[in-house]
């Protein structure tokens, strides 16, 4: 919106020249339809021009009506008016940014969530009050900054989604060791190497990911949209804050630290606290149910199954069935199976497994579990990159650092398994056949198939939010006006 000290007609004229205002105001609708202005209803116009003299007399309902419009201009405003506009916008839950270059803009710049001053034409007072300074005095730089911020948020979300996916297979294989029990599929040192080894290389590459579509980021609605329900929620939360104490003359007294502490201690024992905590909103969070479902319940479970299948296949290759593995693990305290002091074990098929065969089978099984998580996570890397499109095509190759990360991460993993000196430290085995890699590769391909099916389902449920072609055409009106202005 535009907030200026100029005359309303001047402000509206400039607003229409830069396409900040393209709809008809209430007087224009009355003139166009030939009706008296009092008969024009709120839904018939989407643009307003407010004179500064009206601001002091506006009620809460009037402010709600003004901020419900897409195109807003405030004219003939004073510094106190600008500050009042910022306060009312924030009270509705809006994230407010203010651009200004004069001394009279300083209060609003200071109060805004992001005050933006001009470097070349701005006064020293406005620069001190602002949180950011446009070095080139170009408003288009603000749009670029918003786009960069959205990209950082999207990439950080993808990185978290990818990183926590490997937690489920690590936990599941460790639980089997305790519950079933079976020989420990993944030792603590291998878990540490997984988290700080190839996972670190691959997770960092998301920082250089490009947007999935050219206009996709700026076409999406804000992450915290302001709706009638969100406004009610903000006001309800405000009412539940520490009660305001007033003196005999009606002036508010700042609450003491003790009263604030007691009020916060009582909150968890009220119904309103839990209702607000679990209330569904339209906000897009950095970590939400959708992300947790993907990481823990979907991809995490797939990776856990893939790692366990590979684990038991390798043990079975050496003559140790899942049943034998369970019996041997139960007898570890007495017969020390899978250790240097292990006794020979006779399987249900009367096959004798010697100490050396047990150690070879066990170390190879641990190696394939470690490699299975790594290989499946490489496929998951590309699945996490695609939120609105299928995980195939040119976009998957748009970030060359992804392949650099894969090279170094996979190289570290192969060194740990296939270089003999590392086998002593990590209990791995260089004798593991690469043919067993086919098992996690197959599960990795399934991860990409699962991601594609998931995107198809989400496109049907949310056609605008999860379709890059639709996103490019249906731009959010607020963003459209900002882009036109730029």
């Amino acid at each position: 919106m535009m907030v200026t000290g100029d005359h309303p007609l001047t402000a509206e004229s400039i607003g229409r020249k830069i396409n900040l205002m393209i709809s008809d105001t209430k007087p224009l609708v009355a003139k166009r339809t030939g009706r008296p202005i009092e008969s024009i209803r709120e839904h018939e116009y989407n643009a307003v021009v407010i004179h500064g003299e009206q601001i002091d007399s506006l009620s809460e309902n009037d402010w709600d009506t003004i901020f419900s419009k897409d195109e807003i201009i405030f004219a003939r405003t004073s510094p106190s008016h600008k500050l009042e506009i910022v306060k009312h916008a924030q009270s509705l839950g809006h994230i407010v940014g203010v651009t200004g270059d004069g001394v009279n803009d300083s209060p609003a710049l200071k109060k805004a969530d992001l005050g933006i001053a001009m470097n070349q034409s701005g006064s020293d007072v406005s620069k001190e009050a602002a949180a950011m300074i446009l070095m080139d005095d170009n408003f288009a730089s603000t749009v670029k900054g918003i786009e960069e911020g959205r990209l950082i948020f999207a990439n950080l979300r993808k990185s978290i989604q990818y990183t926590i996916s490997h937690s489920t297979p690590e936990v599941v294989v460790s639980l089997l060791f305790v519950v079933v029990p079976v020989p420990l599929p993944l030792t603590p040192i291998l878990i540490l190497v997984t988290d700080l080894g190839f996972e670190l290389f691959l997770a960092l590459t998301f920082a250089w990911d490009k947007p999935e579509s050219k206009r996709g980021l700026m076409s999406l609605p804000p992450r915290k949209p302001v709706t009638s329900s969100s406004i009610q929620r903000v006001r309800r939360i405000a009412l539940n804050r520490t009660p305001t104490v007033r003196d005999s003359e009606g002036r508010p007294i700042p609450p003491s630290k003790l009263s604030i502490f007691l009020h916060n201690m009582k909150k968890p024992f009220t119904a309103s606290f839990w209702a607000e905590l679990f209330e569904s909103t339209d906000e897009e969070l950095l970590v939400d149910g959708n992300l947790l479902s993907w990481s823990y319940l979907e991809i995490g479970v797939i990776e856990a199954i893939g790692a366990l299948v590979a684990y038991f296949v390798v043990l079975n290759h050496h003559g140790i069935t899942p049943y034998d593995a369970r019996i041997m693990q139960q007898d570890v305290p007495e017969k020390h199976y899978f250790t240097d002091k292990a006794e020979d074990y006779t399987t249900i098929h009367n096959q004798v497994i010697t100490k050396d065969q047990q150690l070879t089978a066990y170390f190879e099984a641990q190696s394939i579990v470690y490699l299975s998580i790594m290989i499946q996570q490489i496929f998951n890397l590309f699945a996490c990159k695609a939120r609105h499109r299928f995980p195939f095509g040119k976009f998957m190759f748009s970030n060359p650092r992804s392949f650099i990360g894969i090279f170094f991460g996979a190289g570290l993993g192969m060194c740990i398994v296939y270089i003999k000196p590392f086998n002593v430290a990590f209990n791995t085995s260089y004798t593991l056949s690469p043919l067993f890699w086919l098992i996690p590769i197959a599960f990795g391909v399934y991860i990409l198939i699962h991601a594609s099916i998931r995107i198809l389902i989400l496109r049907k449920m949310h056609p605008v939010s999860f379709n890059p072609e639709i996103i490019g055409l249906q731009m959010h009106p607020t963003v459209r006006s900002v882009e036109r202005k730029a």
Side-chain angles (χ1 to χ4, degrees), residues 24 27 39 48 86 93 112 142 184 186 201 232 235 247 301 463 475:
D24 288 342
S39 65
V48 289
V86 174
T142 307
L184 185 60
L186 203 63
F201 286 108
Q232 292 175 5
R235 287 175 174 168
D247 58 17
V301 171
M475 184 176 290

Side-chain angles (χ1 to χ4, degrees), residues 336-373:
H336 308 287
Y337 291 129
F338 303 109
T339 66
D340 293 334
K341 300 177 182 179
E343 299 179 13
D344 292 348
Y345 173 78
T346 304
T347 67
I348 56 176
H349 301 294
N350 294 323
Q351 180 184 353
V352 178
I353 308 295
T354 64
K355 178 190 75 172
D356 293 336
Q357 289 174 328
Q358 291 175 34
L359 290 174
T360 301
Y362 182 45
F363 292 156
E364 285 190 10
Q366 284 191 332
S367 301
I368 194 60
V369 171
Y370 171 70
L371 289 179
S372 293
I373 296 175

Side-chain angles (χ1 to χ4, degrees), residues 118-422:
M118 303 297 150
N119 178 52
Q120 298 172 11
S121 60
S123 63
D124 292 336
V125 176
S126 66
K127 293 178 185 178
E128 286 293 327
M132 184 172 76
I133 299 174
L134 293 181
M135 301 302 292
D136 55 1
D137 284 18
N138 185 2
F139 282 108
S141 301
T142 307
V143 181
K144 293 177 183 177
I146 294 172
E147 185 174 11
E148 187 69 23
R150 290 188 171 196
L151 180 60
I152 290 171
F153 181 89
N155 289 346
L156 184 58
R157 181 182 168 88
K158 292 176 183 178
S159 180
I160 294 172
Q161 181 176 323
Y162 164 82
T163 303
I164 63 178
S165 297
H166 73 272
S167 301
T168 301
E170 291 177 350
V171 171
V172 169
V173 297
S174 299
L175 283 176
L176 287 179
F177 167 71
V178 176
V179 176
V180 176
V182 295
L184 185 60
L186 203 63
T187 60
I189 188 68
L190 284 178
I191 292 177
L192 191 63
V193 171
T194 300
D195 295 343
L196 301 179
F198 69 83
E199 282 292 296
L200 189 62
F201 286 108
L202 270 64
L204 288 174
T205 63
F206 283 98
W208 290 276
D209 268 8
K210 297 179 180 178
E212 291 186 50
S213 60
K214 283 186 177 181
R215 301 179 64 183
L217 285 172
M218 296 304 289
S219 303
L220 291 171
R223 293 194 299 270
K224 293 180 66 176
V226 177
T227 60
S228 57
S229 59
S230 72
I231 292 172
Q232 292 175 5
R233 183 170 181 269
V234 168
R235 287 175 174 168
R236 188 170 62 251
I237 292 172
L239 289 173
N240 291 333
R241 290 175 183 162
T242 308
T244 303
V245 181
R246 298 182 181 275
D247 58 17
S248 57
E249 297 180 4
R251 292 175 297 188
I253 302 174
S256 64
K257 292 183 179 180
L258 179 61
S259 63
I260 294 174
F261 174 76
L262 292 174
H263 180 75
N264 291 333
M265 289 294 292
K266 292 177 184 177
K267 272 186 179 180
F269 301 98
T270 60
S272 59
F273 173 82
W274 296 102
E276 291 169 7
L277 187 64
F278 293 102
E279 184 179 4
S280 60
T281 64
D282 296 329
E283 296 180 17
E284 182 183 359
L285 304 175
L286 188 63
V287 178
D288 57 11
N290 186 32
L291 184 146
L292 295 175
S293 171
W294 169 276
S295 299
Y296 289 126
L297 301 180
E298 299 173 46
I299 302 306
V301 171
I302 294 171
E303 291 185 3
I305 295 172
L308 288 173
V309 168
Y311 175 74
F312 287 115
V313 166
V314 170
L315 286 180
N316 190 71
H317 177 71
H318 291 277
I320 303 174
T321 64
Y323 174 80
D324 293 323
R326 179 173 176 270
I327 298 300
M328 294 173 75
Q329 183 62 26
Q330 288 176 339
D331 295 338
V332 162
E334 298 176 2
K335 300 186 178 180
H336 308 287
Y337 291 129
F338 303 109
T339 66
D340 293 334
K341 300 177 182 179
E343 299 179 13
D344 292 348
Y345 173 78
T346 304
T347 67
I348 56 176
H349 301 294
N350 294 323
Q351 180 184 353
V352 178
I353 308 295
T354 64
K355 178 190 75 172
D356 293 336
Q357 289 174 328
Q358 291 175 34
L359 290 174
T360 301
Y362 182 45
F363 292 156
E364 285 190 10
Q366 284 191 332
S367 301
I368 194 60
V369 171
Y370 171 70
L371 289 179
S372 293
I373 296 175
M374 182 188 75
I375 292 170
Q376 291 176 101
Q377 279 290 84
I378 291 174
F379 284 91
N380 185 34
L381 176 78
F382 294 102
C384 289
K385 288 178 182 291
R387 183 186 174 193
H388 304 286
R389 59 170 72 225
F390 297 118
F392 308 101
K394 291 182 179 180
F395 175 71
M396 295 297 108
F397 300 91
S398 62
N399 182 7
R401 290 177 176 84
S402 298
F403 298 94
I404 296 174
I406 291 173
F407 175 79
F408 284 104
L412 176 63
M414 293 303 167
C415 289
I416 290 172
V417 174
Y418 288 105
I419 294 182
K420 197 170 183 179
F422 286 94

Side-chain angles (χ1 to χ4, degrees), residues 58 71 383 466 480:
L58 291 175
E71 300 162 7
F466 286 90
R480 185 191 303 118

